[in-house]
């Protein structure tokens, strides 16, 4: 995959700076001492290290420094003008470049970037997905349905970014407005006619998607996450709700199995279509006759006007029934016939690191999943428990008709929402048979402090209902311990990192892929089993 810095169109159009002045209106004040606002721009960047010749450099205030401190670097790289705020005016003007000053350049970044790149998304069908869990899977399902309808597609998310046949490594779930508008211009250049994208709460709060008009917006669900960024859950939800306003979207598709989804359906300022994977009769679209299996699910979709569609998806878990149904409804709202949409969705095999089975285990299963928030951990464990047919508790055979134990390897990220740690620990201890708490991405925090908070939550579960809990800070050792203890019929889920290929420890990123580590642990377990046979 290509680096994100290369997400730009090859062909550029020179835009006159006079047009930018007209766009910004009376709020834009040319900086005294800077050159007159003349010339052109062909691109835009908020990172001085990525400025290309002809760019407008937008110097924003940051946590520890102001972008204007790097204005000279932007000049050296070929910037032709600077947009900044009053705090950055003098340093920007010192370059001698044309400088425009506005009170809050970040608030205008999407609008300005759209002007620079010709608002390329306006010529495409664009579907946005927001929610705590399920965004990545839903975007992939959407893309599969769009392709089945004959579209050349784009995809924007935390796993990868696609523009036709081009693939890029993402830095953020939703790129900054300057990069996002450039990406859509690249998609247009690549002949893309429709795109599916994840829309994070950060993106909505920070204006990254300003200037994008969505044909359809999807709400998957909401549970605690990102409270290191948002003040509280209400603030988090308020950011999500912004997507369901006329400023951003034409139509909303909302999961009313979720309590926040039901609230959103009643508050939204745009037309809303509802869906229920639980088959709630009041929903516009619902799933009935659901059959869950280890390798996927089948169900029947019932929609308005007597519409019925047989659905099959190669994704396990009840939450993937919800993701599939949401994607199908959104595709119908985008003008695609239900049967066509479902034919594309049915071809999709899974998202990297989302309920991804690690091959080679034989008579037990090892699954890697990205679940790193309380709601996602609970959904994954409930879905796997349904497949196992066993009840939670310490030791094998805890419930009627049990077929094996459910083990989870789980950690929490450092320097992130601390409030969800005990919640995740409690969910794991309540729903699994064996829980191994370990490091995720500890960053600057002591891993043992993080694990202690998770253990605090686990101890809220009564002892006779609590899983067997093990603390192993070394993630590779924890994965090896879980797999070495697996017996026939067991399921081991390694949760938290999913598709990620590095572990953030201090200021260093250590190469680490749960799938590779689990595969090596499986190979060692097989070798030990064979050696015992030979003994």
């Amino acid at each position: 995959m290509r680096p994100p810095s290369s997400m730009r169109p090859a062909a550029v159009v020179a835009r006159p700076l006079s047009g930018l002045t007209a766009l910004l209106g009376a709020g834009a004040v040319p900086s005294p001492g800077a050159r007159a606002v003349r010339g052109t721009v062909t691109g835009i960047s908020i990172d001085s290290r990525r400025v290309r010749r002809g760019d407008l450099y937008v110097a924003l205030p940051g946590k520890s420094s102001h972008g204007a401190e790097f204005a000279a670097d932007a000049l050296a790289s070929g910037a032709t003008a600077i947009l900044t705020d009053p705090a950055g005016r003098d340093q920007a003007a010192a370059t001698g470049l044309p400088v425009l000053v506005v009170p809050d350049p970040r608030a205008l970044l999407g609008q300005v970037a759209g002007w620079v790149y010709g608002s390329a998304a306006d010529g495409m069908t664009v579907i946005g997905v927001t929610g705590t869990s399920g965004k990545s899977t839903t975007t992939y399902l959407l893309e599969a349905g769009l392709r089945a309808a004959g579209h050349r597609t784009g995809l924007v998310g935390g796993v990868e970014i696609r523009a036709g046949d081009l693939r890029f490594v993402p830095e953020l779930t939703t790129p900054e407005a300057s990069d996002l508008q450039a990406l859509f211009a690249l998609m247009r250049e690549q002949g893309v006619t429709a795109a599916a994208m994840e829309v994070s709460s950060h993106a909505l709060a920070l204006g990254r998607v300003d200037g994008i008009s969505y044909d359809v917006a999807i709400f998957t669900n909401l549970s605690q996450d990102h409270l290191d960024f948002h003040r509280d859950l209400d603030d988090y939800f308020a950011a999500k709700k912004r997507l369901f306003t006329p400023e951003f979207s034409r139509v909303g598709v909302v999961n009313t199995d979720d309590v926040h989804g039901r609230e959103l359906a009643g508050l939204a300022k745009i037309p809303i279509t509802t869906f229920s994977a639980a088959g709630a009769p009041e929903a516009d679209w619902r799933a009935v006759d659901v059959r869950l299996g280890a390798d996927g699910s089948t169900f029947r979709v019932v929609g308005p006007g007597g519409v019925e569609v047989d659905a099959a998806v190669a994704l396990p878990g009840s939450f993937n029934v919800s993701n599939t149904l949401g994607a199908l409804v959104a595709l119908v709202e985008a003008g695609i016939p239900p049967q066509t949409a479902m034919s594309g969705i049915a071809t999709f095999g899974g998202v990297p690191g989302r309920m991804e089975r690690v091959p080679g285990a034989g008579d037990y299963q090892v699954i890697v999943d990205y679940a790193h928030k309380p709601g996602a951990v609970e959904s994954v464990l409930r879905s796997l428990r349904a497949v196992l047919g066993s009840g939670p508790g310490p030791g094998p055979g805890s419930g009627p008709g049990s077929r094996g134990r459910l083990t989870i390897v789980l950690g929490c990220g450092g320097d992130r929402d601390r409030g969800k740690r005990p919640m995740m620990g409690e969910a794991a201890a309540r729903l699994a048979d064996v829980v191994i708490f370990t490091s995720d991405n500890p960053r600057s925090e002591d891993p043992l402090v993080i694990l202690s908070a998770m253990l605090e939550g686990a101890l809220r579960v009564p002892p006779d209902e609590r899983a067997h809990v093990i603390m192993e800070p070394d993630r590779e050792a924890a994965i090896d311990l879980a797999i070495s203890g697996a017996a026939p019929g067991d399921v081991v889920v390694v949760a938290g990192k999913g598709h990620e290929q590095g572990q953030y420890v201090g200021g260093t990123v250590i190469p680490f892929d749960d799938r590779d580590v689990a595969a090596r642990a499986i190979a060692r377990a097989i070798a030990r089993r064979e050696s015992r046979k030979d003994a």
Side-chain angles (χ1 to χ4, degrees), residues 147-164:
R147 283 200 309 270
H151 285 286
R152 183 166 171 81
T153 58
L155 183 142
V156 185
V159 178
E160 65 176 329
I161 292 172
R162 297 181 188 169

Side-chain angles (χ1 to χ4, degrees), residues 129-504:
V129 186
T130 198
T132 303
S133 301
K135 294 189 298 297
S136 294
T137 299
T138 302
T139 55
Y140 276 87
L141 292 167
L142 288 166
E143 190 200 25
L146 290 167
R147 283 200 309 270
H151 285 286
R152 183 166 171 81
T153 58
L155 183 142
V156 185
V159 178
E160 65 176 329
I161 292 172
R162 297 181 188 169
D165 296 328
L166 304 179
R167 296 189 175 194
F168 303 88
V169 179
E171 291 178 313
L172 301 166
T173 300
T174 310
E176 287 284 2
S178 50
D179 296 327
L180 184 60
Q181 292 286 351
L183 172 61
F184 274 111
L186 174 61
M187 287 185 187
R188 178 176 57 192
E189 193 172 76
Q190 294 294 313
V192 169
T193 57
M197 66 176 289
E198 297 183 49
V199 184
S200 69
S201 62
H202 289 68
L204 288 159
L206 296 173
R208 293 178 192 161
V209 294
D210 288 2
I212 303 294
S213 179
Y214 296 92
D215 293 277
V216 187
I218 306 176
F219 177 85
T220 60
N221 50 64
L222 192 101
S223 62
Q224 182 168 328
D225 199 17
H226 301 308
L227 296 194
D228 52 314
F229 177 79
H230 297 285
R231 290 189 308 273
D232 51 32
L233 197 63
D234 288 341
D235 185 56
Y236 178 38
F237 186 34
K240 299 286 189 187
K241 286 189 289 188
R242 286 196 69 209
L243 186 61
F244 298 85
T245 62
E247 176 187 359
F248 288 103
S249 303
R250 177 180 61 83
V251 173
V253 170
V254 174
N255 172 21
T256 50
D257 291 333
D258 181 270
V259 61
H260 293 93
R262 292 193 292 275
E263 181 181 347
L264 175 60
L267 293 174
K269 304 298 184 184
I270 57 174
I272 294 294
T273 299
T274 60
F275 69 93
S276 168
E282 63 271 17
D284 297 316
W285 293 79
R286 58 193 188 277
V288 298
D289 301 334
V290 177
R291 291 178 173 83
L292 302 176
D295 298 319
S297 306
T298 62
F299 55 98
R300 187 160 46 90
V301 178
V302 178
V307 172
E308 292 196 12
V309 182
D310 289 328
V313 62
L315 303 172
S318 57
F319 56 91
N320 277 319
V321 173
S322 183
N323 292 334
T324 301
L325 182 58
L328 176 64
V329 175
L331 290 164
V332 172
E333 290 292 340
I336 297 172
Q339 293 287 359
T340 302
M342 195 62 236
S343 69
I345 287 172
T347 65
F348 178 64
V351 182
R354 269 60 169 183
M355 294 290 277
E356 182 175 353
R357 185 175 298 178
V358 182
D363 52 12
Y364 59 92
Q365 294 183 56
V366 178
I367 292 169
V368 169
D369 192 76
Y370 190 52
H372 62 285
K373 42 214 152 190
V377 171
E378 184 165 341
S379 292
V380 164
L381 290 176
R382 286 193 184 281
S383 293
L384 292 174
R385 177 65 66 196
V387 171
L388 272 172
S390 58
S398 304
S402 61
R403 296 197 297 270
R405 296 185 307 172
L406 177 56
T407 298
I408 184 170
V409 179
L410 181 68
C412 288
D415 302 330
R416 296 295 186 269
D417 183 357
R418 290 172 169 81
K420 69 182 183 181
R421 296 170 185 174
M423 297 169 67
M424 290 171 63
E426 181 178 358
R430 182 164 37 87
L431 294 169
D433 298 306
V434 178
V435 176
I436 304 177
F437 291 137
T438 190
S439 295
D440 188 296
N441 293 314
R443 297 182 177 89
S444 70
E445 288 195 67
D446 181 346
L448 292 178
V449 172
I450 300 173
L451 298 191
S452 294
M454 298 180 73
L455 180 61
E456 176 190 330
L459 294 177
R460 296 173 185 168
V461 182
D464 60 340
E465 300 174 15
R466 185 191 309 148
H468 178 55
V469 178
I470 301 169
M471 307 274 277
E472 174 48 76
D474 184 297
R475 190 172 183 88
E476 184 161 4
I479 293 171
D480 189 78
L481 180 61
I483 291 173
S484 65
D490 285 1
V491 174
V492 174
V493 56
V494 182
K497 291 176 61 60
H499 65 284
E500 294 178 358
Q501 298 179 31
Q503 186 177 30
Y504 292 78

